[in-house]
Amino acid sequence: MNDLSDEDFKRLYTFMQEKFGIDLKRKKPLIVSRLSSILESRGYTDFHDYVNDIIQKQDQDMMTTLLNKLTTNYTYFMREESHFDYLENVVMPQLAEKHKNDRLLSIWSAGCSSGEEPYNISMYLLEYFGKLGGNWDTRILATDISQNVLSKAENPKYLPESLEKLPKSWKNKYFVPIEDGYYTVSEELRRNVIFRPFNLMSPIKFKRDFDLIFCRNVMIYFDQPTKDALVKRFYDVTYPGGHLFIGHSEGLTKATCPYTYVKPAIYRRDEK
């Protein structure tokens, strides 16, 4: 197997940057290690022909495999727990007041991976708004660029370890044991999340703007200009008073960020 030449490496990382916003400029060893088996299984004798086909054909199946190999999907329930404390104690009371007439929430989990984040948010929503009475629509939109992880999220199998931080009562209420010690989600939880494929480099055009956007540990793959542009697009579809939650390892540039900083990894669009 030939090594990945500097020229082909540059062509591939430029393509990934422009099409998906993913910055792989310093990831040559990772690309070689993760893609070599793909090349062999598809009958390529070198990286050059593979890179040519990726860029020129833009075959959906090849693209999906490439994304699944090069983006790491690691997540679990109650990740960055302080976010859920703020959601419960600050954001949800605000939403209850704001939507007391229409009872329609608008929440987006952008880059939802295998579903832990949107299901986790949903548990909080169902618990809080279920106690208020009335017919609240608490369904949330969950998107990811990878069809592979979306398929896993829609029909999830979670190891017991990923549920360890959840309250025991929630584990009993929202999860169902299945084969080999795994758990799947209850029908109530499943119905509360709408999964859709979406590339965050695309224009954001959904039916409604959002009260709350979660985009955590996604922008770690993006360079600064790409991140700045995405945050601006998020801002444009966030209702005044709405929030953006990002990962704790992803700081936003104060000079260019249109949101107001609230606390680590939590931002708010000011009221008009």
Side-chain angles (χ1 to χ4, degrees):
M1 174 65 65
N2 292 336
D3 196 7
L4 175 61
S5 70
D6 288 344
E7 181 186 353
D8 286 328
F9 171 53
K10 184 175 181 180
R11 290 168 66 217
L12 183 58
Y13 78 63
T14 300
F15 172 77
M16 294 295 287
Q17 169 75 53
E18 290 175 351
K19 188 165 182 70
F20 304 113
I22 297 172
D23 184 4
L24 297 168
K25 281 197 285 288
R26 290 174 289 279
K27 304 286 187 180
K28 186 175 179 180
L30 178 140
I31 290 173
V32 172
S33 66
R34 292 196 179 180
L35 295 186
S36 292
S37 61
I38 297 298
L39 268 65
E40 291 172 15
S41 68
R42 292 181 177 251
Y44 290 95
T45 56
D46 57 35
F47 270 97
H48 183 73
D49 289 342
Y50 175 77
V51 173
N52 277 346
D53 283 352
I54 282 288
I55 294 172
Q56 292 166 14
K57 292 182 180 178
Q58 297 200 30
D59 175 76
Q60 190 58 52
D61 179 51
M62 288 183 70
M63 214 69 76
T64 297
T65 302
L66 177 67
L67 285 165
N68 292 340
K69 282 288 183 180
L70 294 182
T71 57
T72 304
N73 301 295
Y74 171 68
T75 186
Y76 51 89
F77 291 96
M78 301 303 292
R79 187 177 184 181
E80 299 182 335
E81 199 166 338
S82 62
H83 278 165
F84 293 105
D85 292 338
Y86 191 83
L87 174 68
E88 181 177 31
N89 297 315
V90 178
V91 176
M92 291 197 300
Q94 289 177 358
L95 293 181
E97 177 61 27
K98 178 182 177 183
H99 292 291
K100 60 186 176 185
N101 294 321
D102 62 23
R103 295 180 181 173
L104 177 61
L105 306 182
S106 188
I107 298 172
W108 179 16
S109 169
C112 65
S113 190
S114 46
E116 288 89 338
E117 178 180 273
Y119 287 132
N120 210 158
I121 299 165
S122 280
M123 289 178 230
Y124 277 89
L125 297 174
L126 291 168
E127 289 293 312
Y128 186 89
F129 290 94
K131 290 172 184 168
L132 296 186
N135 240 350
W136 286 86
D137 186 346
T138 58
R139 290 174 301 169
I140 74 172
L141 174 68
T143 67
D144 202 279
I145 196 171
S146 168
Q147 189 59 59
N148 184 49
V149 297
L150 284 175
S151 298
K152 290 180 180 177
E154 289 181 296
N155 296 286
K157 285 176 62 176
Y158 298 124
L159 286 166
E161 301 88 83
S162 72
L163 278 60
E164 280 178 355
K165 289 190 171 185
L166 288 170
K168 188 175 179 182
S169 61
W170 288 18
K171 182 177 170 182
N172 294 335
K173 183 176 181 180
Y174 294 115
F175 292 88
V176 181
I178 52 176
E179 74 280 354
D180 301 327
Y182 286 87
Y183 287 82
T184 193
V185 295
S186 68
E187 278 306 311
E188 180 185 22
L189 203 54
R190 196 185 300 263
R191 285 194 303 268
N192 211 58
V193 183
I194 301 163
F195 289 101
R196 294 286 183 271
F198 186 74
N199 182 351
L200 289 172
M201 295 303 99
S202 304
I204 301 173
K205 295 179 179 178
F206 294 108
K207 289 180 182 177
R208 294 167 55 86
D209 287 348
F210 296 96
D211 296 305
L212 173 61
I213 299 173
F214 274 74
C215 186
R216 303 188 303 167
N217 306 298
V218 174
M219 291 187 284
I220 50 174
Y221 297 111
F222 300 164
D223 64 14
Q224 197 60 50
T226 303
K227 190 190 301 187
D228 290 346
L230 176 58
V231 169
K232 177 65 168 63
R233 290 199 299 281
F234 282 152
Y235 182 82
D236 289 342
V237 295
T238 302
Y239 285 123
H243 288 81
L244 170 69
F245 287 17
I246 65 171
H248 278 89
S249 60
E250 306 167 309
L252 300 185
T253 308
K254 189 174 182 180
T256 58
C257 178
Y259 289 93
T260 296
Y261 172 87
V262 177
K263 58 192 304 183
I266 298 176
Y267 295 81
R268 186 173 187 263
R269 177 167 179 167
D270 289 337
E271 301 278 1
K272 286 180 180 175

